[in-house]
Amino acid sequence: MTNIQFFSGEQIPVEMHKVKILQKLHLPPLDERLAAIASAGYNTFLLNNSQVFLDMLTDSGTNAMSDHQLAAMMVADDSYAGSATFTRLEETCGKIFHKDHFIPAHQGRACEHLLAQLLVRPGQLVPMNYHFTTTKAHIVRMGGVVVELPHEEALDPESTCPFKGNMDVEALRRLLEDKGAENIAFVRMEAGTNLIGGQPFSLANLEAVHHLCREFGVLLVLDASLLADNLYFIKVREEACRDMSIGEIVGRIAQSSDVIYFSARKLGCARGGGICTSEGKVAAGLKEMLPLFEGFLTYGGMSVREMEALRVGLEETLDEDMISQGPLFIAYMVEELQKRGVPVVTPPGGLGCHLDARRFLDHVPQNHYPAGALAAALYIVSGIRGMERGTMSEQRHPDGTEPLADMELLRLALPRRVFTLSQVKYAVDRIAWLYENRGLVEGLEFVEEPETLRFFLGRLAPIGDWPARLGRALQESLAYSTL
Ligand SMILES: *Cc1c(COP(=O)(O)O)cnc(C)c1O
């Protein structure tokens, strides 16, 4: 992927790949979209994909595979135990992450389940740069407490800080000194911090955190699910790494992590997950649990075909063209929205473009879920499906009170190599229209609210009849002949 300067002076991200297989898309008409979002309880998770035009819900399991990945799937070695496919994947993981053990799992949260069950005792703390939904749920389930030590600008939606995913190292030192290593289950660093807009950490910050962990005898666990984007940002934003190859940067990251786990639904453009470590006791503990929760040691819940695709996908992640495609498209989308005055998270991160719903819908209070309302509204006006990353994605306290999220974001994921630039332009255009008409959008309230991870299956209702009014405004807007 290259950002090519055009004759006009404009910088345009140009794909260094071509489309070989395609899926036909369908843009349902406005009346169908209004009916679909109502029957989905105004929760974009509950829409069927057939009702969606551009699915920007997530990059999880939706990245485009390469021809080499598809070809590798055809030579997968099907066996329950001792499959040659597993041996090949194990070798590749060893080569890339420089760890002695690879423990396969069916997806990222399965790694989190195993690690939390093995390492977290009730009352122990887990300091991290920022939490992720499933990570936190698994730690809390084991009686652990998540302590976030984010960079001072991490939660500032408008920033120029290149590494908003950094951990506050001084705060970590104070915590380790105050609480003592015995009260810390492990320290967790998340690459490309998901919930604050796909923001990276720097290699220097990871190394400083690991240094402290060594000093206090605490394990550093790296969530590498969004490592591909983070690698790109280290390469282009961190002066000291400019001349390093992607493989060398991964090597340095691995040296500063005791346990590395990832969702292969993101990293490696396949499906599945895994944990890499050279900590013998941790590996032994994980391997003991694996057959109970995931599957035998040589597949861990993954199909052999997915394991082959993952092996090739991980190797391809070391290619600069491959890892830059997502961030360059996202930067383009963020900058085009900024030109139109739309509030977005800056600097552009990985994973997707994040609309700042708190500024976008500044008349909707946080307990009326502005980011959720914005997700429903964008679907109505465009057929685009995004994901609420705000108060709806938080869990109620045991006493029933509702914590308000630090940020109210509508995440528009750009799965790697899936969308074209004209589709991104369509999204920008409809978001700009919605911003002009934002006064029409009001909040949502829960009508069915699950206790755990309520954002997945919860059902909501609009406060007032704003969806219908929004639809009428779109219909009346002369600018659009296609609704
Ligand atoms: C998606 C994700 C996970 C969970 O992975 P799944 O494969 O969806 O279970 C964990 N951590 C981060 C940072 C993620 O983005």
Side-chain angles (χ1 to χ4, degrees):
M1 191 79 189
T2 323
N3 227 353
I4 291 182
Q5 170 129 11
F6 276 51
F7 189 50
S8 63
E10 208 181 345
Q11 294 272 343
I12 306 250
V14 174
E15 297 87 341
M16 300 304 279
H17 55 258
K18 64 174 183 175
V19 178
K20 282 175 73 163
I21 295 180
L22 55 82
Q23 177 180 346
K24 186 164 164 32
L25 291 176
H26 165 63
L27 173 56
L30 175 63
D31 57 337
E32 284 179 29
R33 301 200 297 267
L34 281 165
I37 196 70
S39 68
Y42 295 87
N43 179 351
T44 53
F45 270 103
L46 300 181
L47 288 167
N48 290 326
N49 203 27
S50 61
Q51 298 165 324
V52 172
F53 176 43
L54 303 178
D55 190 14
M56 297 185 174
L57 186 74
T58 173
D59 61 336
S60 179
T62 55
N63 298 300
M65 280 193 193
S66 71
D67 46 2
H68 291 286
Q69 283 183 286
L70 278 174
M73 291 173 91
M74 295 299 111
V75 295
D77 177 31
D78 242 324
S79 62
Y80 187 89
S83 134
T85 287
F86 178 75
T87 308
R88 284 195 283 270
L89 175 59
E90 190 182 33
E91 273 172 18
T92 298
C93 288
K95 242 180 13 215
I96 294 175
F97 296 115
H98 309 279
K99 302 291 181 203
D100 300 337
H101 304 275
F102 172 67
I103 292 99
H106 81 273
Q107 65 183 96
R109 71 201 66 184
C111 304
E112 293 170 337
H113 169 218
L114 296 172
L115 287 167
Q117 187 123 333
L118 183 70
L119 299 174
V120 179
R121 299 282 152 268
Q124 279 189 321
L125 310 180
V126 185
M128 53 183 73
N129 50 348
Y130 206 73
H131 79 280
F132 182 68
T133 51
T134 53
T135 326
K136 185 171 178 176
H138 277 296
I139 290 166
V140 169
R141 184 178 159 265
M142 296 309 298
V145 180
V146 166
V147 183
E148 287 167 330
L149 305 173
H151 184 274
E152 57 182 5
E153 285 186 41
L155 306 177
D156 179 357
E158 272 182 301
S159 159
T160 52
C161 171
F163 293 109
K164 289 205 286 186
N166 279 356
M167 183 180 274
D168 182 339
V169 180
E170 279 314 305
L172 178 62
R173 175 178 284 284
R174 284 195 297 275
L175 185 84
L176 290 168
E177 280 169 356
D178 283 358
K179 303 292 177 182
E182 67 281 6
N183 292 312
I184 309 288
F186 54 84
V187 171
R188 173 177 173 276
M189 282 292 276
E190 182 180 316
T193 37
N194 192 325
L195 297 191
I196 61 167
Q199 299 292 324
F201 57 64
S202 67
L203 179 59
N205 182 255
L206 179 72
E207 289 183 341
V209 170
H210 190 236
H211 199 77
L212 264 185
C213 289
R214 277 280 155 84
E215 187 184 325
F216 284 85
V218 177
L219 287 177
L220 191 152
V221 175
L222 171 68
D223 180 344
S225 303
L226 303 179
L227 182 66
D229 299 329
N230 206 128
L231 285 169
Y232 167 79
F233 291 121
I234 288 177
K235 171 86 185 168
V236 300
R237 293 183 187 172
E238 195 164 355
E239 192 63 46
C241 302
R242 202 146 286 173
D243 297 324
M244 289 164 70
S245 72
I246 301 300
E248 282 167 340
I249 299 173
V250 180
R252 289 277 292 274
I253 288 175
Q255 261 177 22
S256 284
S257 312
D258 303 305
V259 177
I260 300 173
Y261 76 89
F262 59 91
S263 164
R265 300 178 64 83
K266 289 104 181 239
L267 187 69
C269 299
R271 286 150 199 89
I275 307 172
C276 304
T277 185
S278 293
E279 297 288 324
K281 260 175 72 180
V282 174
L286 293 170
K287 285 179 185 179
E288 210 175 300
M289 288 191 287
L290 203 64
L292 182 59
F293 294 119
E294 294 297 302
F296 192 65
L297 292 174
T298 53
Y299 70 91
M302 280 185 278
S303 83
V304 284
R305 290 192 169 183
E306 291 294 349
M307 286 197 283
E308 288 288 358
L310 172 56
R311 174 182 64 78
V312 176
L314 287 174
E315 281 165 3
E316 288 176 350
T317 299
L318 303 180
D319 171 21
E320 283 176 37
D321 280 339
M322 192 277 165
I323 60 171
S324 59
Q325 190 271 333
L328 285 176
F329 262 49
I330 291 160
Y332 178 85
M333 186 166 172
V334 165
E335 282 154 21
E336 289 300 309
L337 286 168
Q338 276 185 304
K339 282 183 202 164
R340 291 158 178 79
V342 177
V344 278
V345 172
T346 54
L351 178 53
C353 167
H354 295 74
L355 306 186
D356 182 2
R358 202 187 271 173
R359 280 182 291 154
F360 200 118
L361 299 179
D362 57 7
H363 55 287
V364 177
Q366 268 190 284
N367 60 354
H368 290 174
Y369 313 119
L374 188 56
L378 181 62
Y379 171 74
I380 291 169
V381 304
S382 68
I384 293 171
R385 162 156 75 169
M387 187 192 292
E388 193 271 0
R389 295 274 79 157
T391 296
M392 260 176 76
S393 297
E394 296 289 328
Q395 204 148 307
R396 281 188 193 272
H397 294 306
D399 69 1
T401 57
E402 184 174 53
L404 301 178
D406 294 327
M407 298 177 98
E408 294 290 342
L409 304 181
L410 171 59
R411 183 182 83 190
L412 299 169
L414 293 187
R416 291 157 193 89
R417 303 177 293 201
V418 169
F419 295 123
T420 61
L421 205 62
S422 49
Q423 289 168 334
V424 171
K425 286 185 173 195
Y426 169 83
V428 167
D429 182 68
R430 292 296 157 118
I431 294 163
W433 184 89
L434 185 57
Y435 189 60
E436 290 293 308
N437 293 276
R438 62 191 179 277
L440 292 170
V441 181
E442 298 293 336
L444 299 171
E445 60 192 349
F446 271 105
V447 289
E448 278 173 42
E449 184 180 341
E451 237 169 77
T452 312
L453 300 174
R454 60 183 182 172
F455 61 91
F456 278 134
L457 298 175
R459 302 182 70 83
L460 302 99
I463 299 174
D465 70 341
W466 64 261
R469 278 188 289 125
L470 184 67
R472 278 197 298 276
L474 182 69
Q475 223 154 19
E476 284 160 14
S477 129
L478 294 174
Y480 291 111
S481 52
T482 305
L483 293 172

PDB file of all heavy atoms in Angstrom, residues 151-161 164 196 199 344-347 356 359 406-407 409:
ATOM      1  N   HIS A 151      -2.298   6.712  28.943  1.00  0.00           N
ATOM      2  CA  HIS A 151      -1.567   7.942  28.632  1.00  0.00           C
ATOM      3  C   HIS A 151      -2.483   9.132  28.906  1.00  0.00           C
ATOM      4  O   HIS A 151      -3.704   9.030  28.755  1.00  0.00           O
ATOM      5  CB  HIS A 151      -1.183   7.905  27.150  1.00  0.00           C
ATOM      6  CG  HIS A 151      -0.348   9.049  26.706  1.00  0.00           C
ATOM      7  ND1 HIS A 151      -0.882  10.250  26.301  1.00  0.00           N
ATOM      8  CD2 HIS A 151       0.995   9.179  26.591  1.00  0.00           C
ATOM      9  CE1 HIS A 151       0.097  11.072  25.967  1.00  0.00           C
ATOM     10  NE2 HIS A 151       1.244  10.444  26.126  1.00  0.00           N
ATOM     11  N   GLU A 152      -1.896  10.268  29.319  1.00  0.00           N
ATOM     12  CA  GLU A 152      -2.749  11.410  29.720  1.00  0.00           C
ATOM     13  C   GLU A 152      -3.636  11.923  28.582  1.00  0.00           C
ATOM     14  O   GLU A 152      -4.673  12.523  28.823  1.00  0.00           O
ATOM     15  CB  GLU A 152      -1.901  12.546  30.295  1.00  0.00           C
ATOM     16  CG  GLU A 152      -0.833  13.044  29.325  1.00  0.00           C
ATOM     17  CD  GLU A 152       0.049  14.140  29.896  1.00  0.00           C
ATOM     18  OE1 GLU A 152      -0.102  14.459  31.091  1.00  0.00           O
ATOM     19  OE2 GLU A 152       0.872  14.677  29.139  1.00  0.00           O
ATOM     20  N   GLU A 153      -3.258  11.672  27.334  1.00  0.00           N
ATOM     21  CA  GLU A 153      -4.097  12.136  26.218  1.00  0.00           C
ATOM     22  C   GLU A 153      -4.968  11.030  25.627  1.00  0.00           C
ATOM     23  O   GLU A 153      -5.674  11.243  24.648  1.00  0.00           O
ATOM     24  CB  GLU A 153      -3.214  12.738  25.109  1.00  0.00           C
ATOM     25  CG  GLU A 153      -2.679  14.107  25.479  1.00  0.00           C
ATOM     26  CD  GLU A 153      -1.929  14.778  24.332  1.00  0.00           C
ATOM     27  OE1 GLU A 153      -2.393  14.695  23.178  1.00  0.00           O
ATOM     28  OE2 GLU A 153      -0.871  15.372  24.606  1.00  0.00           O
ATOM     29  N   ALA A 154      -4.919   9.831  26.248  1.00  0.00           N
ATOM     30  CA  ALA A 154      -5.607   8.669  25.668  1.00  0.00           C
ATOM     31  C   ALA A 154      -7.092   8.931  25.415  1.00  0.00           C
ATOM     32  O   ALA A 154      -7.650   8.488  24.411  1.00  0.00           O
ATOM     33  CB  ALA A 154      -5.435   7.460  26.575  1.00  0.00           C
ATOM     34  N   LEU A 155      -7.719   9.649  26.356  1.00  0.00           N
ATOM     35  CA  LEU A 155      -9.170   9.814  26.274  1.00  0.00           C
ATOM     36  C   LEU A 155      -9.566  11.149  25.653  1.00  0.00           C
ATOM     37  O   LEU A 155     -10.737  11.501  25.622  1.00  0.00           O
ATOM     38  CB  LEU A 155      -9.785   9.667  27.666  1.00  0.00           C
ATOM     39  CG  LEU A 155      -9.401   8.354  28.365  1.00  0.00           C
ATOM     40  CD1 LEU A 155      -9.981   8.295  29.768  1.00  0.00           C
ATOM     41  CD2 LEU A 155      -9.867   7.162  27.545  1.00  0.00           C
ATOM     42  N   ASP A 156      -8.582  11.862  25.157  1.00  0.00           N
ATOM     43  CA  ASP A 156      -8.855  13.135  24.492  1.00  0.00           C
ATOM     44  C   ASP A 156      -9.142  12.814  23.020  1.00  0.00           C
ATOM     45  O   ASP A 156      -8.240  12.407  22.289  1.00  0.00           O
ATOM     46  CB  ASP A 156      -7.623  14.041  24.630  1.00  0.00           C
ATOM     47  CG  ASP A 156      -7.822  15.384  23.940  1.00  0.00           C
ATOM     48  OD1 ASP A 156      -8.895  15.569  23.316  1.00  0.00           O
ATOM     49  OD2 ASP A 156      -6.915  16.216  24.008  1.00  0.00           O
ATOM     50  N   PRO A 157     -10.400  12.998  22.577  1.00  0.00           N
ATOM     51  CA  PRO A 157     -10.705  12.587  21.199  1.00  0.00           C
ATOM     52  C   PRO A 157      -9.965  13.416  20.153  1.00  0.00           C
ATOM     53  O   PRO A 157      -9.720  12.948  19.049  1.00  0.00           O
ATOM     54  CB  PRO A 157     -12.223  12.781  21.081  1.00  0.00           C
ATOM     55  CG  PRO A 157     -12.616  13.633  22.230  1.00  0.00           C
ATOM     56  CD  PRO A 157     -11.567  13.498  23.293  1.00  0.00           C
ATOM     57  N   GLU A 158      -9.611  14.654  20.512  1.00  0.00           N
ATOM     58  CA  GLU A 158      -8.893  15.514  19.561  1.00  0.00           C
ATOM     59  C   GLU A 158      -7.479  15.704  20.056  1.00  0.00           C
ATOM     60  O   GLU A 158      -7.235  16.498  20.959  1.00  0.00           O
ATOM     61  CB  GLU A 158      -9.557  16.891  19.507  1.00  0.00           C
ATOM     62  CG  GLU A 158     -10.672  17.003  18.512  1.00  0.00           C
ATOM     63  CD  GLU A 158     -11.226  18.421  18.521  1.00  0.00           C
ATOM     64  OE1 GLU A 158     -11.689  18.858  19.583  1.00  0.00           O
ATOM     65  OE2 GLU A 158     -11.182  19.067  17.464  1.00  0.00           O
ATOM     66  N   SER A 159      -6.555  14.955  19.471  1.00  0.00           N
ATOM     67  CA  SER A 159      -5.188  15.003  19.969  1.00  0.00           C
ATOM     68  C   SER A 159      -4.252  14.845  18.792  1.00  0.00           C
ATOM     69  O   SER A 159      -4.641  14.427  17.698  1.00  0.00           O
ATOM     70  CB  SER A 159      -5.008  13.859  20.970  1.00  0.00           C
ATOM     71  OG  SER A 159      -3.649  13.533  21.146  1.00  0.00           O
ATOM     72  N   THR A 160      -2.991  15.214  19.012  1.00  0.00           N
ATOM     73  CA  THR A 160      -1.997  14.973  17.971  1.00  0.00           C
ATOM     74  C   THR A 160      -0.951  13.981  18.484  1.00  0.00           C
ATOM     75  O   THR A 160       0.043  13.724  17.819  1.00  0.00           O
ATOM     76  CB  THR A 160      -1.282  16.284  17.579  1.00  0.00           C
ATOM     77  OG1 THR A 160      -0.804  16.902  18.777  1.00  0.00           O
ATOM     78  CG2 THR A 160      -2.219  17.245  16.853  1.00  0.00           C
ATOM     79  N   CYS A 161      -1.190  13.430  19.669  1.00  0.00           N
ATOM     80  CA  CYS A 161      -0.235  12.494  20.260  1.00  0.00           C
ATOM     81  C   CYS A 161      -0.146  11.230  19.389  1.00  0.00           C
ATOM     82  O   CYS A 161      -1.159  10.584  19.145  1.00  0.00           O
ATOM     83  CB  CYS A 161      -0.690  12.136  21.676  1.00  0.00           C
ATOM     84  SG  CYS A 161       0.264  10.804  22.391  1.00  0.00           S
ATOM     85  N   LYS A 164      -1.235   7.344  21.656  1.00  0.00           N
ATOM     86  CA  LYS A 164      -2.219   7.473  22.736  1.00  0.00           C
ATOM     87  C   LYS A 164      -2.453   6.139  23.462  1.00  0.00           C
ATOM     88  O   LYS A 164      -3.094   6.095  24.495  1.00  0.00           O
ATOM     89  CB  LYS A 164      -3.556   7.986  22.168  1.00  0.00           C
ATOM     90  CG  LYS A 164      -3.510   9.439  21.745  1.00  0.00           C
ATOM     91  CD  LYS A 164      -4.890  10.102  21.758  1.00  0.00           C
ATOM     92  CE  LYS A 164      -5.770   9.672  20.629  1.00  0.00           C
ATOM     93  NZ  LYS A 164      -7.038  10.432  20.583  1.00  0.00           N
ATOM     94  N   ILE A 196     -10.362   2.908  22.542  1.00  0.00           N
ATOM     95  CA  ILE A 196     -10.101   4.362  22.490  1.00  0.00           C
ATOM     96  C   ILE A 196      -9.751   4.801  21.071  1.00  0.00           C
ATOM     97  O   ILE A 196      -9.164   5.856  20.860  1.00  0.00           O
ATOM     98  CB  ILE A 196      -9.028   4.811  23.500  1.00  0.00           C
ATOM     99  CG1 ILE A 196      -7.683   4.131  23.230  1.00  0.00           C
ATOM    100  CG2 ILE A 196      -9.483   4.545  24.926  1.00  0.00           C
ATOM    101  CD1 ILE A 196      -6.532   4.773  23.990  1.00  0.00           C
ATOM    102  N   GLN A 199      -5.722   3.082  18.927  1.00  0.00           N
ATOM    103  CA  GLN A 199      -4.512   3.899  19.113  1.00  0.00           C
ATOM    104  C   GLN A 199      -3.325   3.031  19.537  1.00  0.00           C
ATOM    105  O   GLN A 199      -3.451   2.178  20.404  1.00  0.00           O
ATOM    106  CB  GLN A 199      -4.779   4.988  20.152  1.00  0.00           C
ATOM    107  CG  GLN A 199      -5.897   5.948  19.741  1.00  0.00           C
ATOM    108  CD  GLN A 199      -5.532   6.821  18.550  1.00  0.00           C
ATOM    109  OE1 GLN A 199      -4.389   7.240  18.412  1.00  0.00           O
ATOM    110  NE2 GLN A 199      -6.499   7.104  17.678  1.00  0.00           N
ATOM    111  N   VAL A 344     -14.331  13.571  14.749  1.00  0.00           N
ATOM    112  CA  VAL A 344     -13.758  12.223  14.674  1.00  0.00           C
ATOM    113  C   VAL A 344     -12.594  12.135  15.654  1.00  0.00           C
ATOM    114  O   VAL A 344     -12.038  13.152  16.059  1.00  0.00           O
ATOM    115  CB  VAL A 344     -13.215  11.916  13.258  1.00  0.00           C
ATOM    116  CG1 VAL A 344     -14.316  11.484  12.325  1.00  0.00           C
ATOM    117  CG2 VAL A 344     -12.461  13.112  12.682  1.00  0.00           C
ATOM    118  N   VAL A 345     -12.210  10.917  15.996  1.00  0.00           N
ATOM    119  CA  VAL A 345     -11.060  10.729  16.882  1.00  0.00           C
ATOM    120  C   VAL A 345      -9.782  10.942  16.081  1.00  0.00           C
ATOM    121  O   VAL A 345      -9.613  10.376  15.005  1.00  0.00           O
ATOM    122  CB  VAL A 345     -11.068   9.325  17.508  1.00  0.00           C
ATOM    123  CG1 VAL A 345      -9.771   9.065  18.280  1.00  0.00           C
ATOM    124  CG2 VAL A 345     -12.272   9.159  18.435  1.00  0.00           C
ATOM    125  N   THR A 346      -8.896  11.779  16.650  1.00  0.00           N
ATOM    126  CA  THR A 346      -7.596  12.018  16.019  1.00  0.00           C
ATOM    127  C   THR A 346      -6.479  11.782  17.017  1.00  0.00           C
ATOM    128  O   THR A 346      -6.691  11.936  18.212  1.00  0.00           O
ATOM    129  CB  THR A 346      -7.481  13.461  15.490  1.00  0.00           C
ATOM    130  OG1 THR A 346      -7.770  14.357  16.576  1.00  0.00           O
ATOM    131  CG2 THR A 346      -8.413  13.715  14.333  1.00  0.00           C
ATOM    132  N   PRO A 347      -5.262  11.435  16.596  1.00  0.00           N
ATOM    133  CA  PRO A 347      -4.948  11.165  15.192  1.00  0.00           C
ATOM    134  C   PRO A 347      -5.648   9.893  14.720  1.00  0.00           C
ATOM    135  O   PRO A 347      -6.096   9.091  15.536  1.00  0.00           O
ATOM    136  CB  PRO A 347      -3.421  10.978  15.215  1.00  0.00           C
ATOM    137  CG  PRO A 347      -3.107  10.563  16.615  1.00  0.00           C
ATOM    138  CD  PRO A 347      -4.115  11.213  17.489  1.00  0.00           C
ATOM    139  N   ASP A 356     -16.867  10.761  17.021  1.00  0.00           N
ATOM    140  CA  ASP A 356     -17.021  11.150  18.425  1.00  0.00           C
ATOM    141  C   ASP A 356     -18.477  11.535  18.657  1.00  0.00           C
ATOM    142  O   ASP A 356     -18.890  12.652  18.384  1.00  0.00           O
ATOM    143  CB  ASP A 356     -16.076  12.315  18.737  1.00  0.00           C
ATOM    144  CG  ASP A 356     -16.166  12.724  20.195  1.00  0.00           C
ATOM    145  OD1 ASP A 356     -16.923  12.082  20.955  1.00  0.00           O
ATOM    146  OD2 ASP A 356     -15.485  13.685  20.571  1.00  0.00           O
ATOM    147  N   ARG A 359     -19.579  14.707  20.758  1.00  0.00           N
ATOM    148  CA  ARG A 359     -19.608  16.010  20.084  1.00  0.00           C
ATOM    149  C   ARG A 359     -20.606  16.012  18.930  1.00  0.00           C
ATOM    150  O   ARG A 359     -21.247  17.014  18.642  1.00  0.00           O
ATOM    151  CB  ARG A 359     -18.203  16.359  19.562  1.00  0.00           C
ATOM    152  CG  ARG A 359     -17.275  16.906  20.645  1.00  0.00           C
ATOM    153  CD  ARG A 359     -15.918  17.289  20.070  1.00  0.00           C
ATOM    154  NE  ARG A 359     -15.167  16.116  19.645  1.00  0.00           N
ATOM    155  CZ  ARG A 359     -14.223  16.124  18.695  1.00  0.00           C
ATOM    156  NH1 ARG A 359     -13.966  17.237  18.030  1.00  0.00           N
ATOM    157  NH2 ARG A 359     -13.576  15.027  18.390  1.00  0.00           N
ATOM    158  N   ASP A 406     -15.852   6.507  29.261  1.00  0.00           N
ATOM    159  CA  ASP A 406     -14.935   7.632  29.107  1.00  0.00           C
ATOM    160  C   ASP A 406     -15.146   8.329  27.768  1.00  0.00           C
ATOM    161  O   ASP A 406     -14.984   9.531  27.638  1.00  0.00           O
ATOM    162  CB  ASP A 406     -13.483   7.144  29.158  1.00  0.00           C
ATOM    163  CG  ASP A 406     -13.123   6.592  30.526  1.00  0.00           C
ATOM    164  OD1 ASP A 406     -13.661   7.107  31.521  1.00  0.00           O
ATOM    165  OD2 ASP A 406     -12.309   5.653  30.589  1.00  0.00           O
ATOM    166  N   MET A 407     -15.465   7.530  26.742  1.00  0.00           N
ATOM    167  CA  MET A 407     -15.653   8.089  25.400  1.00  0.00           C
ATOM    168  C   MET A 407     -16.932   7.501  24.807  1.00  0.00           C
ATOM    169  O   MET A 407     -17.299   6.377  25.122  1.00  0.00           O
ATOM    170  CB  MET A 407     -14.466   7.731  24.500  1.00  0.00           C
ATOM    171  CG  MET A 407     -13.147   8.291  24.987  1.00  0.00           C
ATOM    172  SD  MET A 407     -11.772   7.768  23.933  1.00  0.00           S
ATOM    173  CE  MET A 407     -11.604   9.188  22.884  1.00  0.00           C
ATOM    174  N   LEU A 409     -18.105   6.573  21.291  1.00  0.00           N
ATOM    175  CA  LEU A 409     -17.635   6.467  19.915  1.00  0.00           C
ATOM    176  C   LEU A 409     -18.566   5.600  19.072  1.00  0.00           C
ATOM    177  O   LEU A 409     -19.132   4.616  19.557  1.00  0.00           O
ATOM    178  CB  LEU A 409     -16.224   5.857  19.890  1.00  0.00           C
ATOM    179  CG  LEU A 409     -15.156   6.569  20.727  1.00  0.00           C
ATOM    180  CD1 LEU A 409     -13.807   5.866  20.577  1.00  0.00           C
ATOM    181  CD2 LEU A 409     -15.034   8.038  20.348  1.00  0.00           C
TER     182      LEU A 409
END
